[in-house]
Amino acid sequence: MPRPPVDLRCLLDPNKVLPVHLSRQDRDPADLPPWSVELHLTSACNYRCGHCSYGGRNRVGRRSVPASRVAALLDDLTGPCRPRGLYFSGGGEPTALKDWDRHVERVIAAGIDTALVTNGSLLREAHLGVVGRLRYIAVSIYSPRPEAYAAITGGSAFKAQFGLPGRIRAVSEAVVIGARNVINSRNHDHIPELYAAAIAAGYDYLICIPQIDYEKRGLALSEAEIETLMRRCAAADLDPARTNLQRLLVSRFGYYQKPGAGACGSDCTAVRLRTNAFVNYDGGVWLCQPDIGNAELCIGNVNEQGFAAIWNGPRHREVVEKLCARWRAGACENCRAMALNRAVEAYEAAPANQPLTLVKDSFL
């Protein structure tokens, strides 16, 4: 049976947190595993993208969670701390980690929805069988212009970014194949061209992300670049079911809107509900992606103790309180939890008889 068309609006809908909220709001947090986990198991990468949000962090050199600790981590994540969804993602390039495909196979075999976020250049024919069993694969694409691609990545696998969907489809019709792009100074003037190339190549959708300056390195798009981007996208034929570019036009290619001081009267619902965990290549465990590397908000390290001991332990509970205080103060920024929190707040404020369509997703 053919897979139904992918509607990107559903994948990005922050209301997908509502089933989590409804099923967890009255439960003891100590009984709650993470809903979704993102593993950044290595900092090694075969590309050197100037816009990479991990660029400064990766100057420490190539680091990875040791194989024995990865095995112990997966023992916990396929056992007592089993999430609904698990991403193998960046920090570096996840497919640069030795035996990455065996780790992915283990998680899939445990019945956990599994996703891979990759630049795709290291995927070989021998990997396509496991790739075809994923729930999602998100492939970073950079530019339809070879010279811009080379300038952005420092790599030489230009054709791979558009050839991969056809290779995967030859072995699987089930996996959702998405394209991801970080809009930066070298590609901002031809993003509609990139969208057209992605759809023509067979990607189900293209998610665009304005480059985020997590490390305060001056990476944000300039006003002139935003104006160029606005003009090009406003004149393009964009399907909102297949790209988020029209949504980004509304926000002038900003990211999550930062709340003002005192604007958030309640706690951070997302961390209270234990929605996310991020395991970094140094073994650290965080609750919010923008905080990765901040020792004050690290809840533990899988190189020192098991994930099950870290999760909902004393340090975890302490950090939850710190994050809730930050949210109440309106000091959070560039975090997916911001959109999830607003979705819960809007639901709680809505009339009791308002119809509700629940979007269920293992990945938050």
Side-chain angles (χ1 to χ4, degrees):
M1 179 180 296
R3 177 172 49 79
V6 176
D7 190 331
L8 183 59
R9 291 167 293 192
C10 292
L11 297 183
L12 298 181
D13 188 347
N15 285 323
K16 65 185 180 180
V17 75
L18 295 181
V20 187
H21 171 61
L22 295 172
S23 65
R24 294 187 167 207
Q25 61 181 331
D26 297 324
R27 293 179 59 186
D28 182 348
D31 295 332
L32 299 175
W35 186 268
S36 55
V37 175
E38 194 162 323
L39 301 183
H40 303 175
L41 297 177
T42 183
S43 68
C45 188
N46 59 322
Y47 284 176
R48 288 293 177 266
C49 302
H51 63 262
C52 179
S53 62
Y54 276 82
R57 302 171 194 175
N58 289 358
R59 293 193 189 101
V60 297
R62 296 189 172 196
R63 300 173 63 181
S64 301
V65 177
S68 63
R69 301 312 303 165
V70 174
L73 172 63
L74 295 184
D75 284 343
D76 284 343
L77 292 178
T78 57
C81 290
R82 177 192 181 95
R84 299 294 185 94
L86 190 148
Y87 300 85
F88 287 85
S89 184
E93 165 52 41
T95 64
L97 182 71
K98 187 176 185 295
D99 292 329
W100 70 268
D101 49 338
R102 295 183 183 179
H103 302 320
V104 171
E105 282 185 308
R106 180 178 177 187
V107 175
I108 293 173
I112 299 170
D113 280 349
T114 310
L116 175 66
V117 182
T118 175
N119 66 34
S121 65
L122 300 179
L123 293 178
R124 303 293 180 252
E125 297 306 309
H127 300 136
L128 296 182
V130 67
V131 167
R133 295 167 59 205
L134 293 165
R135 179 70 182 88
Y136 299 103
I137 179 171
V139 181
S140 295
I141 65 174
Y142 303 90
S143 174
R145 303 177 184 181
E147 67 282 0
Y149 168 90
I152 292 168
T153 67
S156 57
F158 171 77
K159 291 183 179 179
Q161 60 182 337
F162 299 115
L164 188 56
R167 293 168 60 203
I168 296 173
R169 284 285 172 252
V171 299
S172 173
E173 288 292 333
V175 60
V176 175
I177 307 174
R180 291 165 56 92
N181 168 257
V182 177
I183 303 172
N184 59 77
S185 60
R186 289 190 170 97
N187 65 16
H188 72 282
D189 62 341
H190 55 271
I191 292 300
E193 182 184 339
L194 180 65
Y195 162 72
I199 300 305
Y203 285 104
D204 288 307
Y205 58 80
L206 170 66
I207 292 178
C208 288
I209 306 166
Q211 59 187 13
I212 302 173
D213 197 10
Y214 286 132
E215 298 173 330
K216 312 301 181 187
R217 292 187 288 141
L219 295 179
L221 293 170
S222 69
E223 283 300 314
E225 289 168 340
I226 291 172
E227 289 297 333
T228 298
L229 187 55
M230 294 282 290
R231 288 195 303 272
R232 298 287 168 82
C233 291
D237 182 15
L238 305 172
D239 182 350
R242 306 194 74 176
T243 184
N244 64 330
L245 283 167
Q246 289 179 321
R247 292 175 60 178
L248 289 172
L249 275 169
V250 175
S251 66
R252 286 186 56 83
F253 290 85
Y255 213 53
Y256 299 109
Q257 183 181 359
K258 183 175 178 178
C264 309
S266 60
D267 288 344
C268 177
T269 300
V271 298
R272 288 284 189 210
L273 294 176
R274 307 309 200 249
T275 55
N276 291 99
F278 301 85
V279 182
N280 201 35
Y281 52 76
D282 61 1
V285 182
W286 279 267
L287 304 179
C288 296
Q289 185 171 14
D291 296 325
I292 294 174
N294 182 346
E296 293 184 2
L297 297 173
C298 180
I299 68 171
N301 192 296
V302 298
N303 291 328
E304 300 167 2
Q305 62 183 145
F307 185 90
I310 294 169
W311 193 253
N312 281 324
R315 176 61 180 166
H316 183 175
R317 295 192 295 271
E318 177 187 339
V319 171
V320 166
E321 297 308 319
K322 289 183 178 181
L323 294 175
C324 285
R326 184 175 71 181
W327 172 253
R328 289 193 300 270
C332 294
E333 57 182 327
N334 289 331
C335 178
R336 68 187 70 169
M338 296 169 66
L340 303 180
N341 288 346
R342 290 195 179 97
V344 172
E345 290 166 0
Y347 166 75
E348 294 290 350
N353 61 351
Q354 179 171 312
L356 177 65
T357 301
L358 296 179
V359 177
K360 295 184 179 181
D361 198 331
S362 299
F363 300 95
L364 293 180

